[in-house]
Amino acid sequence: MKIWHISDTHSFHGLLQIPENIDIVIHSGDESNYYDVYKNEQECRDFMEWFGSLNIPHKIMIGGNHSAFIATRTREFKDLCKEKNIIYLENEGVEIEGLKIWGSPYSPTFGNWYFMKSRDKMWKVWENIPEDTDILITHTPPRGCLDLSYNRNHQLEFCGCSNLLKNIFRVKPKLHLFGHIHSCEGVLNAGQMKLANLDTIFSNGSVVTDGKFGKLSSNGNIFEL
């Protein structure tokens, strides 16, 4: 199975180069940008038109902290997914050709956005990840994995979720696909990595760079399982 992972397109999906011979495309959140639900709906519907039109057999997505329409008009959004033959995961899983996939849109609270929980409550989401998960999709990275960014004091810090990392070691998925933390000034988060004591491949599929929206810095990551 050939998998294309993208994330954080923030309404610039039309700039992506569509790779050939992909079996599954996975978008790990922030298809849109605006906090305002009305404006966000227009962005989300435009993304869904594009995503649904891709000549790829299986299309999977989760929401993110910028997914206002998905978070507030969930039933309407799910109807749109059915219409476009798109699989949407919200703290749930699906099996595709033997691969068990589980996804969640949540990230630790930062600002006043959507699908967020305080860091000390994130474990309530991650404890539900099944132990036989092959591909884990989250919006947030785990702490220390392609998650370095500037805080409000313009100091670099690891922004991912430490409770998520603990559960990665419990579940040991083949792939962990996420976004949320973009590449930024002097820091490249987009890409993939492994830890020395774990076989899981970590993928940050963010395609934009902070401060440079409108020009993509990545075309996502491709894997074969």
Side-chain angles (χ1 to χ4, degrees), residues 1-5 22-26 56-60 96 99 101 135:
M1 297 288 288
K2 198 171 182 181
I3 299 161
W4 181 33
H5 172 221
I22 298 294
D23 300 296
I24 307 175
V25 57
I26 297 175
I56 297 173
H58 306 287
K59 294 173 273 286
I60 302 173
I96 295 178
L99 289 175
I101 304 168
I135 301 175

mmCIF file with all atom_site columns, all heavy atoms in Angstrom, residues 1-5 22-26 56-60 96 99 101 135:
data_model
loop_
_atom_site.group_PDB
_atom_site.id
_atom_site.type_symbol
_atom_site.label_atom_id
_atom_site.label_alt_id
_atom_site.label_comp_id
_atom_site.label_asym_id
_atom_site.label_entity_id
_atom_site.label_seq_id
_atom_site.pdbx_PDB_ins_code
_atom_site.Cartn_x
_atom_site.Cartn_y
_atom_site.Cartn_z
_atom_site.occupancy
_atom_site.B_iso_or_equiv
_atom_site.pdbx_formal_charge
_atom_site.auth_seq_id
_atom_site.auth_comp_id
_atom_site.auth_asym_id
_atom_site.auth_atom_id
_atom_site.pdbx_PDB_model_num
ATOM 1   N N   . MET A 1 1   ? 0.840   -1.197 0.000  1.00 0.00 ? 1   MET A N   1
ATOM 2   C CA  . MET A 1 1   ? 0.000   0.000  0.000  1.00 0.00 ? 1   MET A CA  1
ATOM 3   C C   . MET A 1 1   ? 0.874   1.246  0.000  1.00 0.00 ? 1   MET A C   1
ATOM 4   O O   . MET A 1 1   ? 1.765   1.399  0.829  1.00 0.00 ? 1   MET A O   1
ATOM 5   C CB  . MET A 1 1   ? -0.900  0.003  1.240  1.00 0.00 ? 1   MET A CB  1
ATOM 6   C CG  . MET A 1 1   ? -1.883  -1.152 1.292  1.00 0.00 ? 1   MET A CG  1
ATOM 7   S SD  . MET A 1 1   ? -3.206  -0.951 0.081  1.00 0.00 ? 1   MET A SD  1
ATOM 8   C CE  . MET A 1 1   ? -4.129  0.377  0.807  1.00 0.00 ? 1   MET A CE  1
ATOM 9   N N   . LYS A 1 2   ? 0.603   2.135  -0.938 1.00 0.00 ? 2   LYS A N   1
ATOM 10  C CA  . LYS A 1 2   ? 1.362   3.378  -1.029 1.00 0.00 ? 2   LYS A CA  1
ATOM 11  C C   . LYS A 1 2   ? 0.530   4.507  -0.432 1.00 0.00 ? 2   LYS A C   1
ATOM 12  O O   . LYS A 1 2   ? -0.607  4.740  -0.850 1.00 0.00 ? 2   LYS A O   1
ATOM 13  C CB  . LYS A 1 2   ? 1.703   3.669  -2.493 1.00 0.00 ? 2   LYS A CB  1
ATOM 14  C CG  . LYS A 1 2   ? 2.831   4.675  -2.678 1.00 0.00 ? 2   LYS A CG  1
ATOM 15  C CD  . LYS A 1 2   ? 3.249   4.721  -4.144 1.00 0.00 ? 2   LYS A CD  1
ATOM 16  C CE  . LYS A 1 2   ? 4.408   5.677  -4.366 1.00 0.00 ? 2   LYS A CE  1
ATOM 17  N NZ  . LYS A 1 2   ? 4.802   5.727  -5.796 1.00 0.00 ? 2   LYS A NZ  1
ATOM 18  N N   . ILE A 1 3   ? 1.093   5.196  0.557  1.00 0.00 ? 3   ILE A N   1
ATOM 19  C CA  . ILE A 1 3   ? 0.364   6.175  1.344  1.00 0.00 ? 3   ILE A CA  1
ATOM 20  C C   . ILE A 1 3   ? 0.982   7.556  1.167  1.00 0.00 ? 3   ILE A C   1
ATOM 21  O O   . ILE A 1 3   ? 2.206   7.721  1.293  1.00 0.00 ? 3   ILE A O   1
ATOM 22  C CB  . ILE A 1 3   ? 0.382   5.778  2.830  1.00 0.00 ? 3   ILE A CB  1
ATOM 23  C CG1 . ILE A 1 3   ? -0.301  4.411  3.011  1.00 0.00 ? 3   ILE A CG1 1
ATOM 24  C CG2 . ILE A 1 3   ? -0.309  6.841  3.688  1.00 0.00 ? 3   ILE A CG2 1
ATOM 25  C CD1 . ILE A 1 3   ? 0.054   3.721  4.299  1.00 0.00 ? 3   ILE A CD1 1
ATOM 26  N N   . TRP A 1 4   ? 0.145   8.544  0.893  1.00 0.00 ? 4   TRP A N   1
ATOM 27  C CA  . TRP A 1 4   ? 0.584   9.946  0.801  1.00 0.00 ? 4   TRP A CA  1
ATOM 28  C C   . TRP A 1 4   ? 0.027   10.685 1.991  1.00 0.00 ? 4   TRP A C   1
ATOM 29  O O   . TRP A 1 4   ? -1.193  10.750 2.184  1.00 0.00 ? 4   TRP A O   1
ATOM 30  C CB  . TRP A 1 4   ? 0.076   10.563 -0.506 1.00 0.00 ? 4   TRP A CB  1
ATOM 31  C CG  . TRP A 1 4   ? 0.481   12.001 -0.730 1.00 0.00 ? 4   TRP A CG  1
ATOM 32  C CD1 . TRP A 1 4   ? 1.634   12.619 -0.335 1.00 0.00 ? 4   TRP A CD1 1
ATOM 33  C CD2 . TRP A 1 4   ? -0.283  12.999 -1.425 1.00 0.00 ? 4   TRP A CD2 1
ATOM 34  N NE1 . TRP A 1 4   ? 1.647   13.930 -0.735 1.00 0.00 ? 4   TRP A NE1 1
ATOM 35  C CE2 . TRP A 1 4   ? 0.481   14.197 -1.409 1.00 0.00 ? 4   TRP A CE2 1
ATOM 36  C CE3 . TRP A 1 4   ? -1.525  12.992 -2.065 1.00 0.00 ? 4   TRP A CE3 1
ATOM 37  C CZ2 . TRP A 1 4   ? 0.033   15.369 -2.007 1.00 0.00 ? 4   TRP A CZ2 1
ATOM 38  C CZ3 . TRP A 1 4   ? -1.975  14.161 -2.655 1.00 0.00 ? 4   TRP A CZ3 1
ATOM 39  C CH2 . TRP A 1 4   ? -1.192  15.335 -2.628 1.00 0.00 ? 4   TRP A CH2 1
ATOM 40  N N   . HIS A 1 5   ? 0.896   11.239 2.815  1.00 0.00 ? 5   HIS A N   1
ATOM 41  C CA  . HIS A 1 5   ? 0.485   11.962 4.016  1.00 0.00 ? 5   HIS A CA  1
ATOM 42  C C   . HIS A 1 5   ? 0.693   13.457 3.828  1.00 0.00 ? 5   HIS A C   1
ATOM 43  O O   . HIS A 1 5   ? 1.804   13.911 3.528  1.00 0.00 ? 5   HIS A O   1
ATOM 44  C CB  . HIS A 1 5   ? 1.296   11.470 5.228  1.00 0.00 ? 5   HIS A CB  1
ATOM 45  C CG  . HIS A 1 5   ? 1.062   12.290 6.454  1.00 0.00 ? 5   HIS A CG  1
ATOM 46  N ND1 . HIS A 1 5   ? 2.067   12.657 7.316  1.00 0.00 ? 5   HIS A ND1 1
ATOM 47  C CD2 . HIS A 1 5   ? -0.088  12.844 6.964  1.00 0.00 ? 5   HIS A CD2 1
ATOM 48  C CE1 . HIS A 1 5   ? 1.568   13.378 8.298  1.00 0.00 ? 5   HIS A CE1 1
ATOM 49  N NE2 . HIS A 1 5   ? 0.261   13.514 8.106  1.00 0.00 ? 5   HIS A NE2 1
ATOM 50  N N   . ILE A 1 22  ? -0.932  6.298  -5.855 1.00 0.00 ? 22  ILE A N   1
ATOM 51  C CA  . ILE A 1 22  ? -1.178  6.325  -4.420 1.00 0.00 ? 22  ILE A CA  1
ATOM 52  C C   . ILE A 1 22  ? -2.441  5.508  -4.117 1.00 0.00 ? 22  ILE A C   1
ATOM 53  O O   . ILE A 1 22  ? -3.455  5.626  -4.796 1.00 0.00 ? 22  ILE A O   1
ATOM 54  C CB  . ILE A 1 22  ? -1.344  7.767  -3.919 1.00 0.00 ? 22  ILE A CB  1
ATOM 55  C CG1 . ILE A 1 22  ? -0.064  8.573  -4.169 1.00 0.00 ? 22  ILE A CG1 1
ATOM 56  C CG2 . ILE A 1 22  ? -1.724  7.801  -2.446 1.00 0.00 ? 22  ILE A CG2 1
ATOM 57  C CD1 . ILE A 1 22  ? 1.137   8.117  -3.393 1.00 0.00 ? 22  ILE A CD1 1
ATOM 58  N N   . ASP A 1 23  ? -2.373  4.692  -3.064 1.00 0.00 ? 23  ASP A N   1
ATOM 59  C CA  . ASP A 1 23  ? -3.527  3.894  -2.646 1.00 0.00 ? 23  ASP A CA  1
ATOM 60  C C   . ASP A 1 23  ? -4.360  4.595  -1.570 1.00 0.00 ? 23  ASP A C   1
ATOM 61  O O   . ASP A 1 23  ? -5.574  4.484  -1.548 1.00 0.00 ? 23  ASP A O   1
ATOM 62  C CB  . ASP A 1 23  ? -3.058  2.540  -2.111 1.00 0.00 ? 23  ASP A CB  1
ATOM 63  C CG  . ASP A 1 23  ? -2.300  1.742  -3.145 1.00 0.00 ? 23  ASP A CG  1
ATOM 64  O OD1 . ASP A 1 23  ? -2.903  1.382  -4.169 1.00 0.00 ? 23  ASP A OD1 1
ATOM 65  O OD2 . ASP A 1 23  ? -1.087  1.478  -2.935 1.00 0.00 ? 23  ASP A OD2 1
ATOM 66  N N   . ILE A 1 24  ? -3.682  5.306  -0.657 1.00 0.00 ? 24  ILE A N   1
ATOM 67  C CA  . ILE A 1 24  ? -4.374  6.010  0.433  1.00 0.00 ? 24  ILE A CA  1
ATOM 68  C C   . ILE A 1 24  ? -3.766  7.399  0.590  1.00 0.00 ? 24  ILE A C   1
ATOM 69  O O   . ILE A 1 24  ? -2.545  7.531  0.684  1.00 0.00 ? 24  ILE A O   1
ATOM 70  C CB  . ILE A 1 24  ? -4.232  5.266  1.781  1.00 0.00 ? 24  ILE A CB  1
ATOM 71  C CG1 . ILE A 1 24  ? -4.666  3.802  1.676  1.00 0.00 ? 24  ILE A CG1 1
ATOM 72  C CG2 . ILE A 1 24  ? -5.040  5.974  2.866  1.00 0.00 ? 24  ILE A CG2 1
ATOM 73  C CD1 . ILE A 1 24  ? -4.435  3.002  2.961  1.00 0.00 ? 24  ILE A CD1 1
ATOM 74  N N   . VAL A 1 25  ? -4.613  8.417  0.614  1.00 0.00 ? 25  VAL A N   1
ATOM 75  C CA  . VAL A 1 25  ? -4.144  9.756  0.971  1.00 0.00 ? 25  VAL A CA  1
ATOM 76  C C   . VAL A 1 25  ? -4.722  10.079 2.343  1.00 0.00 ? 25  VAL A C   1
ATOM 77  O O   . VAL A 1 25  ? -5.907  9.843  2.611  1.00 0.00 ? 25  VAL A O   1
ATOM 78  C CB  . VAL A 1 25  ? -4.547  10.819 -0.077 1.00 0.00 ? 25  VAL A CB  1
ATOM 79  C CG1 . VAL A 1 25  ? -6.056  10.858 -0.300 1.00 0.00 ? 25  VAL A CG1 1
ATOM 80  C CG2 . VAL A 1 25  ? -4.024  12.187 0.328  1.00 0.00 ? 25  VAL A CG2 1
ATOM 81  N N   . ILE A 1 26  ? -3.881  10.598 3.227  1.00 0.00 ? 26  ILE A N   1
ATOM 82  C CA  . ILE A 1 26  ? -4.297  10.907 4.603  1.00 0.00 ? 26  ILE A CA  1
ATOM 83  C C   . ILE A 1 26  ? -3.958  12.358 4.911  1.00 0.00 ? 26  ILE A C   1
ATOM 84  O O   . ILE A 1 26  ? -2.812  12.783 4.763  1.00 0.00 ? 26  ILE A O   1
ATOM 85  C CB  . ILE A 1 26  ? -3.602  9.972  5.610  1.00 0.00 ? 26  ILE A CB  1
ATOM 86  C CG1 . ILE A 1 26  ? -4.019  8.513  5.355  1.00 0.00 ? 26  ILE A CG1 1
ATOM 87  C CG2 . ILE A 1 26  ? -3.933  10.386 7.040  1.00 0.00 ? 26  ILE A CG2 1
ATOM 88  C CD1 . ILE A 1 26  ? -3.295  7.500  6.219  1.00 0.00 ? 26  ILE A CD1 1
ATOM 89  N N   . ILE A 1 56  ? -7.576  8.757  -6.117 1.00 0.00 ? 56  ILE A N   1
ATOM 90  C CA  . ILE A 1 56  ? -6.921  7.897  -5.131 1.00 0.00 ? 56  ILE A CA  1
ATOM 91  C C   . ILE A 1 56  ? -8.018  7.062  -4.473 1.00 0.00 ? 56  ILE A C   1
ATOM 92  O O   . ILE A 1 56  ? -9.035  7.615  -4.019 1.00 0.00 ? 56  ILE A O   1
ATOM 93  C CB  . ILE A 1 56  ? -6.163  8.737  -4.088 1.00 0.00 ? 56  ILE A CB  1
ATOM 94  C CG1 . ILE A 1 56  ? -5.031  9.525  -4.769 1.00 0.00 ? 56  ILE A CG1 1
ATOM 95  C CG2 . ILE A 1 56  ? -5.597  7.859  -2.972 1.00 0.00 ? 56  ILE A CG2 1
ATOM 96  C CD1 . ILE A 1 56  ? -4.325  10.515 -3.864 1.00 0.00 ? 56  ILE A CD1 1
ATOM 97  N N   . PRO A 1 57  ? -7.879  5.745  -4.398 1.00 0.00 ? 57  PRO A N   1
ATOM 98  C CA  . PRO A 1 57  ? -8.972  4.883  -3.919 1.00 0.00 ? 57  PRO A CA  1
ATOM 99  C C   . PRO A 1 57  ? -9.487  5.215  -2.524 1.00 0.00 ? 57  PRO A C   1
ATOM 100 O O   . PRO A 1 57  ? -10.692 5.204  -2.281 1.00 0.00 ? 57  PRO A O   1
ATOM 101 C CB  . PRO A 1 57  ? -8.362  3.482  -3.959 1.00 0.00 ? 57  PRO A CB  1
ATOM 102 C CG  . PRO A 1 57  ? -7.276  3.559  -4.988 1.00 0.00 ? 57  PRO A CG  1
ATOM 103 C CD  . PRO A 1 57  ? -6.732  4.949  -4.885 1.00 0.00 ? 57  PRO A CD  1
ATOM 104 N N   . HIS A 1 58  ? -8.587  5.497  -1.601 1.00 0.00 ? 58  HIS A N   1
ATOM 105 C CA  . HIS A 1 58  ? -8.999  5.708  -0.209 1.00 0.00 ? 58  HIS A CA  1
ATOM 106 C C   . HIS A 1 58  ? -8.533  7.082  0.265  1.00 0.00 ? 58  HIS A C   1
ATOM 107 O O   . HIS A 1 58  ? -7.348  7.395  0.187  1.00 0.00 ? 58  HIS A O   1
ATOM 108 C CB  . HIS A 1 58  ? -8.421  4.621  0.701  1.00 0.00 ? 58  HIS A CB  1
ATOM 109 C CG  . HIS A 1 58  ? -8.736  3.235  0.257  1.00 0.00 ? 58  HIS A CG  1
ATOM 110 N ND1 . HIS A 1 58  ? -9.994  2.681  0.380  1.00 0.00 ? 58  HIS A ND1 1
ATOM 111 C CD2 . HIS A 1 58  ? -7.949  2.290  -0.342 1.00 0.00 ? 58  HIS A CD2 1
ATOM 112 C CE1 . HIS A 1 58  ? -9.968  1.446  -0.107 1.00 0.00 ? 58  HIS A CE1 1
ATOM 113 N NE2 . HIS A 1 58  ? -8.755  1.194  -0.549 1.00 0.00 ? 58  HIS A NE2 1
ATOM 114 N N   . LYS A 1 59  ? -9.493  7.870  0.768  1.00 0.00 ? 59  LYS A N   1
ATOM 115 C CA  . LYS A 1 59  ? -9.200  9.223  1.242  1.00 0.00 ? 59  LYS A CA  1
ATOM 116 C C   . LYS A 1 59  ? -9.639  9.345  2.703  1.00 0.00 ? 59  LYS A C   1
ATOM 117 O O   . LYS A 1 59  ? -10.814 9.148  3.008  1.00 0.00 ? 59  LYS A O   1
ATOM 118 C CB  . LYS A 1 59  ? -9.913  10.250 0.358  1.00 0.00 ? 59  LYS A CB  1
ATOM 119 C CG  . LYS A 1 59  ? -9.379  10.282 -1.074 1.00 0.00 ? 59  LYS A CG  1
ATOM 120 C CD  . LYS A 1 59  ? -10.210 11.184 -1.964 1.00 0.00 ? 59  LYS A CD  1
ATOM 121 C CE  . LYS A 1 59  ? -11.390 10.468 -2.580 1.00 0.00 ? 59  LYS A CE  1
ATOM 122 N NZ  . LYS A 1 59  ? -10.983 9.537  -3.668 1.00 0.00 ? 59  LYS A NZ  1
ATOM 123 N N   . ILE A 1 60  ? -8.678  9.658  3.584  1.00 0.00 ? 60  ILE A N   1
ATOM 124 C CA  . ILE A 1 60  ? -8.941  9.708  5.026  1.00 0.00 ? 60  ILE A CA  1
ATOM 125 C C   . ILE A 1 60  ? -8.510  11.073 5.554  1.00 0.00 ? 60  ILE A C   1
ATOM 126 O O   . ILE A 1 60  ? -7.475  11.609 5.155  1.00 0.00 ? 60  ILE A O   1
ATOM 127 C CB  . ILE A 1 60  ? -8.167  8.604  5.767  1.00 0.00 ? 60  ILE A CB  1
ATOM 128 C CG1 . ILE A 1 60  ? -8.540  7.218  5.221  1.00 0.00 ? 60  ILE A CG1 1
ATOM 129 C CG2 . ILE A 1 60  ? -8.429  8.666  7.266  1.00 0.00 ? 60  ILE A CG2 1
ATOM 130 C CD1 . ILE A 1 60  ? -7.705  6.089  5.788  1.00 0.00 ? 60  ILE A CD1 1
ATOM 131 N N   . ILE A 1 96  ? -8.601  -0.743 6.415  1.00 0.00 ? 96  ILE A N   1
ATOM 132 C CA  . ILE A 1 96  ? -8.544  -0.697 4.952  1.00 0.00 ? 96  ILE A CA  1
ATOM 133 C C   . ILE A 1 96  ? -7.518  -1.711 4.476  1.00 0.00 ? 96  ILE A C   1
ATOM 134 O O   . ILE A 1 96  ? -6.329  -1.591 4.780  1.00 0.00 ? 96  ILE A O   1
ATOM 135 C CB  . ILE A 1 96  ? -8.177  0.715  4.453  1.00 0.00 ? 96  ILE A CB  1
ATOM 136 C CG1 . ILE A 1 96  ? -9.291  1.707  4.811  1.00 0.00 ? 96  ILE A CG1 1
ATOM 137 C CG2 . ILE A 1 96  ? -7.933  0.707  2.943  1.00 0.00 ? 96  ILE A CG2 1
ATOM 138 C CD1 . ILE A 1 96  ? -9.009  3.121  4.416  1.00 0.00 ? 96  ILE A CD1 1
ATOM 139 N N   . LEU A 1 99  ? -5.073  -2.940 6.986  1.00 0.00 ? 99  LEU A N   1
ATOM 140 C CA  . LEU A 1 99  ? -4.392  -1.940 7.810  1.00 0.00 ? 99  LEU A CA  1
ATOM 141 C C   . LEU A 1 99  ? -5.401  -1.300 8.773  1.00 0.00 ? 99  LEU A C   1
ATOM 142 O O   . LEU A 1 99  ? -6.438  -0.793 8.353  1.00 0.00 ? 99  LEU A O   1
ATOM 143 C CB  . LEU A 1 99  ? -3.764  -0.850 6.941  1.00 0.00 ? 99  LEU A CB  1
ATOM 144 C CG  . LEU A 1 99  ? -2.538  -1.226 6.118  1.00 0.00 ? 99  LEU A CG  1
ATOM 145 C CD1 . LEU A 1 99  ? -2.134  -0.061 5.221  1.00 0.00 ? 99  LEU A CD1 1
ATOM 146 C CD2 . LEU A 1 99  ? -1.362  -1.622 7.019  1.00 0.00 ? 99  LEU A CD2 1
ATOM 147 N N   . ILE A 1 101 ? -6.384  1.636  11.123 1.00 0.00 ? 101 ILE A N   1
ATOM 148 C CA  . ILE A 1 101 ? -6.063  3.063  11.166 1.00 0.00 ? 101 ILE A CA  1
ATOM 149 C C   . ILE A 1 101 ? -6.952  3.733  12.201 1.00 0.00 ? 101 ILE A C   1
ATOM 150 O O   . ILE A 1 101 ? -8.166  3.499  12.232 1.00 0.00 ? 101 ILE A O   1
ATOM 151 C CB  . ILE A 1 101 ? -6.282  3.696  9.775  1.00 0.00 ? 101 ILE A CB  1
ATOM 152 C CG1 . ILE A 1 101 ? -5.454  2.938  8.717  1.00 0.00 ? 101 ILE A CG1 1
ATOM 153 C CG2 . ILE A 1 101 ? -5.917  5.174  9.781  1.00 0.00 ? 101 ILE A CG2 1
ATOM 154 C CD1 . ILE A 1 101 ? -5.823  3.288  7.284  1.00 0.00 ? 101 ILE A CD1 1
ATOM 155 N N   . ILE A 1 135 ? -1.634  2.347  11.708 1.00 0.00 ? 135 ILE A N   1
ATOM 156 C CA  . ILE A 1 135 ? -1.390  3.747  11.349 1.00 0.00 ? 135 ILE A CA  1
ATOM 157 C C   . ILE A 1 135 ? -2.163  4.628  12.315 1.00 0.00 ? 135 ILE A C   1
ATOM 158 O O   . ILE A 1 135 ? -3.391  4.553  12.406 1.00 0.00 ? 135 ILE A O   1
ATOM 159 C CB  . ILE A 1 135 ? -1.828  4.046  9.900  1.00 0.00 ? 135 ILE A CB  1
ATOM 160 C CG1 . ILE A 1 135 ? -1.069  3.150  8.907  1.00 0.00 ? 135 ILE A CG1 1
ATOM 161 C CG2 . ILE A 1 135 ? -1.592  5.520  9.569  1.00 0.00 ? 135 ILE A CG2 1
ATOM 162 C CD1 . ILE A 1 135 ? -1.544  3.312  7.475  1.00 0.00 ? 135 ILE A CD1 1
#
